[in-house]
Amino acid sequence: MTTAYPPLFTAPEAPEGDRTLLLIRTAYDLLDEAGLEGLTIRAVLARAGLARRAFYERFQGKDDLVLAVFDSSLRTAALQFRDITARCEGPVEALRVIVTGIVVGQLGQDRLGANRRGAALSREHLRLAQTRQGELNSALEPLLDLIAGHVADGISGGAFRRADPQLQARLVYNLVSTTVHTVLLAEEEGIPDRTGREELAGELWEFCRRALAA
């Protein structure tokens, strides 16, 4: 059975009248088209058809908008992974789905724009991890908590060695996300090779599985 992996950086729906989500959705589109260089407050407002007041009522600046993009996409991905892993046969399979899904869902899109957006957000992720660590960690919490829950279940069932589940979750996520960021940045203007990404996902999962195993 083929698993449908949720992409981490997927644009949210913007219901009519919800200007916050409209601004976030517009940021996704601009990143698709021109990467970080195209994501300016002026461009966002022009595309969304809003006045500067509408932006500054919701965000203090561009960094706040980028953090909102991360928060929206990561929380959505966590909910989707929760639904998918609820049907898995145990914590080992659930973690495999999450680890491989982060890689394939992130990189396995056959559009140049998606790759450009992913590279731009990867670059911003690395920068914000230094300048806005608290807010970025808050955006990551739902996904990290989900991973930690499956690690804890694996420990209870004897499949994983005894360790701090939250620490193990962060180590797993950091390994996988750093690898993904590196590849995205290297292929910013290229088309992702889905087969290559699936092979990379398999290698990363095997590494994580061996590190967690009892």
Side-chain angles (χ1 to χ4, degrees):
M1 180 179 69
T2 302
T3 302
Y5 298 113
L8 288 192
F9 296 146
T10 186
E13 295 298 323
E16 186 175 354
D18 191 328
R19 292 185 172 184
T20 300
L21 284 181
L22 175 59
L23 289 167
I24 295 172
R25 176 85 197 198
T26 302
Y28 278 96
D29 293 341
L30 291 171
L31 287 168
D32 254 8
E33 295 169 12
L36 285 177
E37 293 74 13
L39 183 60
T40 66
I41 294 174
R42 178 177 294 182
V44 169
L45 293 175
R47 176 68 61 87
L50 298 175
R52 291 179 68 84
R53 178 179 177 181
F55 181 91
Y56 286 106
E57 286 176 345
R58 293 160 177 82
F59 306 109
Q60 293 184 7
K62 179 178 171 180
D63 278 2
D64 286 338
L65 175 60
V66 174
L67 282 164
V69 168
F70 279 117
D71 189 83
S72 172
S73 58
L74 289 168
R75 289 179 188 277
T76 297
L79 288 173
Q80 293 175 321
F81 276 128
R82 189 176 297 278
D83 289 341
I84 294 170
T85 56
R87 301 188 293 272
C88 290
E89 296 181 1
V92 176
E93 176 63 12
L95 281 176
R96 185 195 67 79
V97 166
I98 293 173
V99 169
T100 56
I102 290 173
V103 180
V104 177
Q106 181 95 297
L107 300 174
Q109 304 171 56
D110 298 323
R111 295 189 302 113
L112 177 59
N115 209 34
R116 185 183 296 120
R117 183 181 70 234
L121 289 174
S122 292
R123 190 173 286 111
E124 287 295 87
H125 185 286
L126 297 172
R127 183 179 67 83
L128 292 170
Q130 295 180 317
T131 62
R132 304 287 290 271
Q133 185 177 16
E135 292 108 312
L136 188 58
N137 285 342
S138 178
L140 285 168
E141 276 181 10
L143 185 56
L144 291 175
D145 286 346
L146 179 62
I147 295 172
H150 290 304
V151 171
D153 289 344
I155 292 171
S156 297
F160 298 148
R161 61 183 175 82
R162 299 196 65 81
D164 179 350
Q166 287 289 340
L167 176 59
Q168 296 299 300
R170 186 165 290 279
L171 290 173
V172 167
Y173 175 79
N174 286 346
L175 169 66
V176 176
S177 65
T178 300
T179 303
V180 168
H181 294 328
T182 300
V183 177
L184 274 170
L185 292 171
E187 296 186 355
E188 187 167 1
E189 294 300 325
I191 302 298
D193 173 11
R194 186 177 182 88
T195 299
R197 299 303 171 264
E198 289 174 344
E199 291 175 355
L200 174 63
E203 291 290 336
L204 280 170
W205 164 241
E206 182 61 16
F207 187 92
C208 292
R209 186 191 66 79
R210 289 176 179 268
L212 293 167

